[in-house]
Amino acid sequence: MVSPEKPETTSLKDKTMNKKALCLVSLGALAMAAGCEQDAYDGSLGQAQDEIVDVAHSDVEKQSIGNCWLYSQATWVESLNLTYLQAHPAGGEPENVCVHSVCDEGEAMSSDCNSCATKICQADPYCCETAWDDLCTGAVQTLCGADACDAQPAPTPSQAAEPLDVSQSYWTYWHWFDQITDNFHGNEIQTGGWQWKSNAIVRDRGVMPELAFVPEDSNQESSQRQSEALRKINEALKSGELSTQAARRDGETVRKVFDEAWGLSEEVRAHLDSAFGIDGETTLRTGGTVEGTPIIDPSTIPVRYTVRSGDGSEIKDTNLVEAIEDWSVARYPGYGSANQRRAFQQRVQRALHDQNPVVITWDVDFNAMAEGAFNMDNLAASGGPGRQGGHMTVLADYEGITSTFGVLEAGETLDEQDPEYQDKVDALMGDSAEIKFLRTKNSWGTGDGQPPGYHQLYMDYLDGPIKFCPGEDNPDNCTGESNPWRDAMLPPGY
Amino acid sequence: MKLFQKTLTALLMSASLLGAACNDAPPPESIQNQTDQSLQGLMPDAPEAPGAFSIDRYADGQWAFRLIGAHGDIVLESEKYVQKESAYNGILAIYESGVVETQYEVSNDSGAWNFYLQSLGNNESIGHSRRFGSEDEATTAMEEARELVIAMVQYKAAITDGARFDLWRDADTNDWRFVLRGDDGNILLESQGYTGRTAAVNGIDSVRENGRLEGRYITETTDEGVDLVLRAGNWEEIARIGPFASEDEALQHQAALIELVASEQVANPW
């Protein structure tokens, strides 16, 4: 079942200093050039760097603070974009022709046909879903400026073929900004969050390349700027410029403190001023603009995933905003029956086989971790629970056990030329098959994992139960049991 | 309103803050058995926020709050305010009025469908949806908006130590049980034993559904006093509390329960 030839992998960026090459793990049919950077995979681990499934992933990064949810969001966005670019190597080209002027009433327009349509549809999706009516034309002057009607409708230039290298620092900046300006009474920034928040940040603030926001983030595995900014802003909250409610509610003051704490260049500050105002309070959905800045409107970012309907699935090429609207979080039935859990696992398997980057939320107990794997043997050997907390990552592969073919290993791509290919897929998807472990791309750097940066989550661990010991460093204060696998974010129909 | 004001701060904060627990990178290999592990970034287990309110300024300088859903979508948006402070106050009104089904109304404006949420106090519009192409779409979105507001009210109870359901497995009988506790920690209702967790969770849902209806309660006189019993539509007992010293005392408790359950200010145990 192993692919007879090692599938090609391609390094899309030259980041040899820090293992940050974006690696497309692709099928041979895509005919990419030579392999990933060597240090992105240690061959001594005895595994191929290919997979049972074929989810495109960017490079592994390392969070320096507790914002894994923004790293998983970045991984998800980059993966969807990579998948699109694999299929459209000449460049992204979503449907982007304006069917009429934004100043004329008529049929619904494509949101990415020009920047004015993008703004108006961000504010009022009706204009791009149902009809471009008088309210849409009436919003032109407000959202696009007095000259918008003079401009001829023209397609937006296609998204460049260069893969995204999303700045998590940029999203983190806005996450903290929203916290403080929306009636903040604490003295310490909280770094955690969920998909609904990251989705809102993407839609309100767009995407900024790492190179454009904090340039050194693009050639370092971990962003030290984030941890440094966190320290400085917390100091400002406790006893500095942001210690009063009046200051916290004043976006201009908050932005000044932030820009200093983050060490933003004058050029970046000017871009943020231009896009969101000097007080940062205007968003892309309330009249902000990315024009003249390196900020990318999410509705212009091409992505690809699959949508399942009935027994089949079909490819969907669209933009990031639509992907955000399409994908949904489903809870893992940890307390359900074995059949219910298996049915959920099959949904995840199916999505992975269709090359979708499934996001999972799970509980970490570090005493269950050894040699890149989380399992109950490790937990038992450690003698009890360890440090715990939730985590969010994106799946890359899995290893399955079938009655017909035995173990079908992770790290080995099923070969579509193999006469038994479909039988093997069917066996893996069968009710009697077992998932041995899920392999997830992690955001803990490449210093650990197998292959480096990836962790194996054994099903016995994910199913649990494990002792639930919430709180910081408090393994002696267990309040019950929990099932570590919380949920998965899946594309439509899965 | 005071209760809402007291908790708005925590809510606005935690809506975007508590969210997902999240670990930063562990020290490699040596993570186990260390006592000086860096805990930066380790988040306590917290209930998942179903959405959030956001306050933003429009290009014309006016302010509005938005209720943000799971897809980062704008589920409900306020009218525009000149002052940012007014947007804060508008959010408080959503928490009170947004759980009440009759405060929502689907409307057709110039051919497009949308829905409005009206204030309980004066029935003035305090929020509206985006526009939809059909009445069905608007109605579905309206129902989803109300469910989201309810979930956020329940979430608020969870993060502010408000009233809550506790669910556990009895170590002696192996049965699953739940209780409804007030914000002072006192037990307000106590379930029967359930053989499975799913059945107990259904029991909690049943309390939410039936506990707001006066006709679902009966009193039972026992040797110790008077019990208040909550029953489902099929008259099966869901939960009970007692004994009370008198029928009047039991009925006072019933009235408080109805008000609490109808307000949705009760956290889930998960």
Side-chain angles (χ1 to χ4, degrees):
Chain A
M1 72 142 260
V2 180
S3 182
E5 293 181 10
K6 183 176 163 185
E8 291 86 346
T9 56
T10 302
S11 175
L12 296 173
K13 281 195 172 181
D14 185 14
K15 294 179 177 178
T16 53
M17 294 295 290
N18 48 45
K19 306 177 184 177
K20 287 197 62 177
L22 289 160
C23 299
L24 285 176
V25 181
S26 66
L27 288 171
L30 291 172
M32 293 292 182
C36 286
E37 286 181 327
Q38 288 183 340
D39 53 1
Y41 166 69
D42 180 356
S44 65
L45 292 168
Q47 293 196 5
Q49 61 194 47
D50 315 315
E51 301 154 317
I52 265 190
V53 297
D54 193 29
V55 181
H57 270 306
S58 54
D59 57 317
V60 171
E61 301 203 48
K62 182 178 181 180
Q63 57 188 100
S64 64
I65 57 174
N67 57 352
C68 65
W69 57 291
L70 289 173
Y71 278 80
S72 74
Q73 179 86 353
T75 286
W76 179 71
V77 170
E78 289 169 351
S79 176
L80 294 175
N81 179 247
L82 275 176
T83 305
Y84 181 91
L85 295 180
Q86 284 179 336
H88 301 272
E93 45 192 49
E95 292 297 324
N96 59 0
V97 177
C98 292
V99 292
H100 54 76
S101 164
V102 292
C103 300
D104 296 333
E105 294 179 29
E107 62 183 283
M109 294 179 73
S110 170
S111 67
D112 51 9
C113 80
N114 69 25
S115 60
C116 183
T118 300
K119 288 179 196 169
I120 290 174
C121 291
Q122 281 273 22
D124 186 357
Y126 182 90
C127 302
C128 286
E129 291 173 357
T130 308
W132 195 272
D133 64 6
D134 58 328
L135 290 183
C136 309
T137 58
V140 170
Q141 187 152 347
T142 307
L143 295 177
C144 309
D147 299 333
C149 288
D150 299 332
Q152 295 297 313
T156 304
S158 295
Q159 173 74 20
E162 182 77 8
L164 287 171
D165 187 7
V166 171
S167 171
Q168 297 91 349
S169 294
Y170 175 72
W171 290 342
T172 302
Y173 176 105
W174 290 115
H175 175 227
W176 299 351
F177 179 87
D178 288 346
Q179 274 184 53
I180 293 175
T181 56
D182 284 355
N183 207 21
F184 185 78
H185 283 261
N187 284 323
E188 197 167 286
I189 290 283
Q190 298 296 315
T191 55
W194 296 98
Q195 280 110 337
W196 58 263
K197 184 60 189 174
S198 54
N199 288 339
I201 292 171
V202 171
R203 297 180 73 165
D204 282 336
R205 307 294 183 175
V207 173
M208 201 154 177
E210 282 195 328
L211 195 59
F213 190 63
V214 176
E216 55 260 46
D217 279 1
S218 66
N219 56 24
Q220 293 174 354
E221 193 174 73
S222 175
S223 173
Q224 295 311 307
R225 193 75 70 89
Q226 290 177 20
S227 50
E228 183 66 9
L230 182 63
R231 184 185 63 76
K232 290 178 176 174
I233 292 170
N234 280 337
E235 282 177 4
L237 288 168
K238 283 171 188 160
S239 55
E241 293 171 85
L242 299 179
S243 59
T244 67
Q245 278 308 106
R248 293 171 181 184
R249 289 190 178 190
D250 178 12
E252 189 172 346
T253 300
V254 174
R255 272 216 48 212
K256 279 180 183 169
V257 173
F258 271 39
D259 290 353
E260 285 299 312
W262 280 90
L264 299 183
S265 68
E266 290 302 322
E267 184 183 19
V268 172
R269 296 179 197 206
H271 287 320
L272 300 186
D273 290 350
S274 167
F276 308 113
I278 57 173
D279 64 359
E281 299 272 22
T282 302
T283 71
L284 296 183
R285 289 190 283 190
T286 58
T289 177
V290 300
E291 281 181 15
T293 77
I295 301 165
I296 306 170
D297 190 301
S299 64
T300 66
I301 295 175
V303 297
R304 166 175 282 208
Y305 51 92
T306 60
V307 175
R308 191 161 181 83
S309 177
D311 291 333
S313 57
E314 61 183 48
I315 290 169
K316 183 170 182 176
D317 285 341
T318 182
N319 64 66
L320 181 55
V321 170
E322 195 157 343
I324 286 172
E325 290 177 347
D326 268 357
W327 286 55
S328 294
V329 173
R331 286 201 174 278
Y332 182 66
Y335 283 101
S337 66
N339 287 343
Q340 288 171 320
R341 293 198 301 272
R342 179 67 193 130
F344 188 96
Q345 293 162 15
Q346 287 167 319
R347 294 167 62 188
V348 171
Q349 284 178 269
R350 196 171 287 121
L352 290 171
H353 279 287
D354 288 344
Q355 299 180 265
N356 295 295
V358 177
V359 181
I360 67 165
T361 306
W362 51 287
D363 291 327
V364 170
D365 185 321
F366 281 116
N367 275 7
M369 187 182 85
E371 298 179 350
F374 284 81
N375 60 49
M376 295 301 269
D377 288 343
N378 293 335
L379 191 57
S382 69
R387 177 186 166 204
Q388 293 187 352
H391 200 33
M392 195 182 293
T393 55
V394 185
L395 295 179
D397 200 3
Y398 73 93
E399 185 156 303
I401 304 171
T402 70
S403 56
T404 309
F405 300 100
V407 174
L408 296 177
E409 295 182 5
E412 298 183 359
T413 303
L414 292 177
D415 178 11
E416 290 190 42
Q417 305 305 315
D418 181 348
E420 293 184 310
Y421 169 78
Q422 192 56 50
D423 291 340
K424 289 176 177 173
V425 172
D426 290 345
L428 283 164
M429 293 300 306
D431 291 342
S432 62
E434 293 177 38
I435 293 179
K436 189 173 177 184
F437 62 75
L438 297 173
R439 174 171 290 167
T440 188
K441 180 188 170 189
N442 211 336
S443 50
W444 294 345
T446 51
D448 188 33
Q450 189 179 10
Y454 290 74
H455 283 89
Q456 276 58 252
L457 312 180
Y458 280 74
M459 277 311 306
D460 67 342
Y461 174 76
L462 289 176
D463 273 336
I466 63 171
K467 286 186 178 175
F468 177 59
C469 316
E472 293 188 350
D473 197 21
N474 198 17
D476 297 326
N477 185 26
C478 302
T479 58
E481 295 180 333
S482 73
N483 309 95
W485 190 356
R486 296 188 193 177
D487 58 46
M489 187 171 79
L490 297 162
Y494 286 87
Chain B
M1 183 63 101
K2 280 184 179 175
L3 173 65
F4 284 110
Q5 286 175 331
K6 195 173 76 173
T7 56
L8 175 65
T9 294
L11 186 71
L12 281 168
M13 286 170 53
S14 57
S16 58
L17 314 185
L18 281 180
C22 197
N23 289 288
D24 59 353
E29 301 300 328
S30 55
I31 183 71
Q32 296 180 29
N33 303 321
Q34 286 194 356
T35 56
D36 59 346
Q37 299 164 7
S38 165
L39 292 171
Q40 185 181 38
L42 181 62
M43 300 288 292
D45 188 79
E48 181 172 352
F53 282 104
S54 163
I55 297 173
D56 301 291
R57 194 198 55 215
Y58 274 85
D60 62 7
Q62 297 197 79
W63 298 86
F65 68 79
R66 304 173 301 163
L67 174 57
I68 306 293
H71 302 276
D73 47 322
I74 300 169
V75 175
L76 197 67
E77 185 168 20
S78 73
E79 310 307 320
K80 289 184 180 178
Y81 302 103
V82 175
Q83 300 293 331
K84 190 177 182 182
E85 194 70 29
S86 302
Y88 290 121
N89 294 332
I91 293 174
L92 298 176
I94 296 289
Y95 276 90
E96 282 190 320
S97 306
V99 300
V100 182
E101 190 173 2
T102 53
Q103 297 308 111
Y104 290 86
E105 185 176 317
V106 171
S107 172
N108 188 312
D109 294 335
S110 307
W113 293 90
N114 56 8
F115 67 84
Y116 290 90
L117 172 59
Q118 299 166 325
S119 168
L120 271 172
N122 54 18
N123 277 340
E124 285 186 2
S125 173
I126 49 175
H128 61 85
S129 72
R130 69 176 182 87
R131 299 185 297 155
F132 298 94
S134 71
E135 184 175 12
D136 284 349
E137 281 181 64
T139 302
T140 301
M142 180 183 72
E143 290 163 353
E144 289 173 352
R146 179 170 171 263
E147 286 172 9
L148 179 58
V149 173
I150 289 172
M152 291 194 63
V153 171
Q154 294 171 359
Y155 170 75
K156 179 182 68 179
I159 61 169
T160 56
D161 291 327
R164 65 190 182 277
F165 287 103
D166 283 341
L167 173 68
W168 77 98
R169 190 177 213 164
D170 190 304
D172 296 329
T173 65
N174 230 20
D175 282 345
W176 286 86
R177 295 177 178 276
F178 66 85
V179 293
L180 168 57
R181 291 184 188 274
D183 55 12
D184 56 2
N186 289 331
I187 293 176
L188 305 179
L189 271 178
E190 191 167 2
S191 81
Q192 306 298 300
Y194 293 90
T195 54
R197 184 180 186 276
T198 301
V201 169
N202 290 340
I204 290 173
D205 290 341
S206 189
V207 170
R208 289 195 182 280
E209 182 183 339
N210 294 285
R212 68 186 65 212
L213 306 173
E214 187 177 344
R216 295 285 194 262
Y217 291 90
I218 60 168
T219 53
E220 277 184 9
T221 303
T222 68
D223 292 343
E224 289 80 27
V226 179
D227 278 4
L228 180 67
V229 182
L230 174 62
R231 302 183 303 178
N234 61 5
W235 307 118
E236 279 193 17
E237 180 176 330
I238 309 168
R240 70 168 57 212
I241 184 71
F244 294 96
S246 67
E247 177 97 3
D248 280 351
E249 202 176 302
L251 292 176
Q252 284 175 18
H253 189 81
Q254 172 188 310
L257 271 173
I258 290 172
E259 185 179 353
L260 175 63
V261 174
S263 75
E264 300 286 357
Q265 295 174 45
V266 185
N268 281 314
W270 45 85

